């Protein structure tokens, strides 16, 4: 009798694990956006994420250069804000999954206001628009896709 219960429990457990792993795999796939809509002053940009990640043959890390969550990369804007202003200073501390992420810019995990010499050098961290223009266009220049001064409306809606 006991043995029977044990094997039923075992079968149910296996079925549960199979279902769970299938569900998680689906979830992981689902979380990779097909398209990313970027509203901005230059006119809305619709970035064909799936085409870039699958059809054009790039690796995730070609664009997601943060190695913090390689299975679930962070939004570029968590590190590249539209400006390094008061809003960024307050909010960025909550946008990262772990303390390891702080080391991308800080030498140790800060817990309060920073002395001048401990502040990250924002000269070398591009803002969001610069980061995108820079990454989108330098790859296009190398591998195809719109770039250069006459290309604005190939990406931006009029
Ligand atoms: C050609 C460049 C490029 C490639 C290749 C690429 N991505 Fe992205 N990905 C982006 C850009 C740009 C965004 C928009 C991020 C933003 O809006 O801040 C993005 C957004 C995402 C987001 C949403 C992040 C969020 O929280 O808003 C996820 C998740 C993601 N990518 C996963 C992946 C995975 C997984 C791969 C590899 C299979 C991949 N990406 C390949 C450029 C790329
Ligand atoms: C976890 C923080 C973080 C995330 C997320 C992140 N970056 Fe960066 N990025 C940085 C830092 C810090 C620098 C400054 C130079 C350095 O340390 O590499 C940088 C530099 C850059 C540069 C200039 C240097 C270079 O490598 O060409 C570009 C362009 C750039 N990022 C684009 C992006 C894009 C596009 C995304 C999203 C797909 C993204 N970054 C996501 C932290 C991040
Ligand atoms: C993309 C780079 C980047 C990452 C990643 C990052 N920070 Fe920062 N952090 C900054 C910049 C830039 C400032 C502002 C410096 C200044 O005041 O000029 C700052 C300032 C701070 C301050 C001081 C705020 C103040 O009022 O003086 C704290 C605290 C802080 N960060 C905590 C964190 C924590 C905690 C993490 C990780 C969870 C983190 N940061 C990740 C760039 C970053
Ligand atoms: C790692 C390289 C790479 C990066 C980064 C990249 N692209 Fe592309 N992009 C390509 C390639 C390759 C093509 C295809 C060119 C062709 O086949 O004609 C392309 C095509 C395009 C096209 C025209 C076709 C389509 O899929 O819509 C647009 C618009 C475009 N990219 C926008 C962007 C934007 C916006 C970004 C930044 C958020 C970006 N790309 C980042 C490589 C890249
Ligand atoms: C390869 C695609 C691409 C091309 C080509 C392109 N842009 Fe952009 N542009 C972007 C993306 C992506 C953003 C950032 C959107 C965001 O921040 O969400 C952006 C942002 C901007 C912004 C907003 C800046 C801000 O701080 O809000 C302006 C203005 C702009 N672009 C002007 C131009 C002009 C002018 C040209 C032509 C010389 C051009 N762009 C060419 C993709 C492109």
């Amino acid at each position: 009798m006991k043995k029977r219960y044990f094997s039923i429990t075992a079968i149910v457990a296996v079925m549960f694990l199979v279902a769970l792993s299938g569900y998680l795999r689906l979830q992981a796939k689902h979380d990779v956006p097909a398209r990313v809509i970027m509203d901005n002053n230059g006119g809305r940009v619709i970035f064909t994420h799936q085409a870039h990640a699958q059809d054009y043959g790039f690796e995730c890390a070609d664009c997601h250069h943060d190695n913090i969550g390689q299975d679930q990369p962070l939004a570029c804007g968590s590190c590249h804000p539209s400006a390094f202003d008061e809003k960024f200073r307050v909010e960025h501390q909550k946008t990262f999954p772990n303390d390891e992420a702080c080391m991308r810019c800080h030498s140790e995990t800060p817990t309060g206001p920073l002395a001048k010499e401990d502040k990250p050098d924002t000269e070398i961290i591009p803002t969001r628009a610069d980061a995108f223009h820079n990454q989108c266009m330098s790859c296009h220049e190398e591998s195809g896709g719109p770039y250069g001064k006459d290309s604005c409306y190939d990406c931006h809606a009029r």
Side-chain angles (χ1 to χ4, degrees), residues 31-33 36 38 47 49 52-53 58-64 70-78 128 132 135:
D31 286 345
V32 179
V36 181
M38 301 159 157
F47 174 54
H49 187 273
H52 277 77
F58 297 107
E59 301 293 328
C60 314
D62 287 335
C63 302
H64 294 279
Q70 226 41 285
D71 346 315
Q72 196 54 270
L74 299 174
C76 314
S78 33
R128 189 176 151 93
F132 282 132
Q135 188 179 82

Side-chain angles (χ1 to χ4, degrees), residues 16-145:
F16 175 74
L17 287 176
V18 169
L20 182 70
S21 76
Y23 172 75
L24 289 178
R25 214 172 315 137
L26 250 167
Q27 273 254 304
K29 218 174 160 187
H30 195 77
D31 286 345
V32 179
R35 255 175 247 96
V36 181
I37 295 173
M38 301 159 157
D39 281 311
N40 65 86
N41 303 330
R44 166 177 286 191
V45 175
I46 298 176
F47 174 54
T48 54
H49 187 273
Q50 194 170 331
H52 277 77
Q54 283 172 15
D55 310 343
Y56 305 158
F58 297 107
E59 301 293 328
C60 314
D62 287 335
C63 302
H64 294 279
H65 63 147
D66 59 307
N67 47 13
I68 290 152
Q70 226 41 285
D71 346 315
Q72 196 54 270
L74 299 174
C76 314
S78 33
C79 296
H80 300 285
S82 35
F84 290 100
D85 52 12
E86 196 50 39
K87 182 167 177 273
F88 170 80
R89 285 176 53 170
V90 174
E91 286 181 3
H92 80 284
Q93 307 170 33
K94 292 174 262 164
T95 49
F96 299 102
N98 52 42
D99 281 3
E100 191 197 334
C102 316
M103 268 37 122
R104 192 71 175 73
C105 302
H106 295 281
S107 53
E108 54 189 85
T109 308
T111 51
L114 299 171
K116 197 159 190 291
E117 63 275 18
D118 295 329
K119 291 182 176 175
D121 183 359
T122 51
E123 297 292 309
I124 60 161
I125 310 172
T127 56
R128 189 176 151 93
D130 287 345
F132 282 132
H133 274 173
N134 197 329
Q135 188 179 82
C136 310
M137 291 204 233
S138 52
C139 179
H140 289 167
E141 188 165 9
E142 208 169 279
S143 318

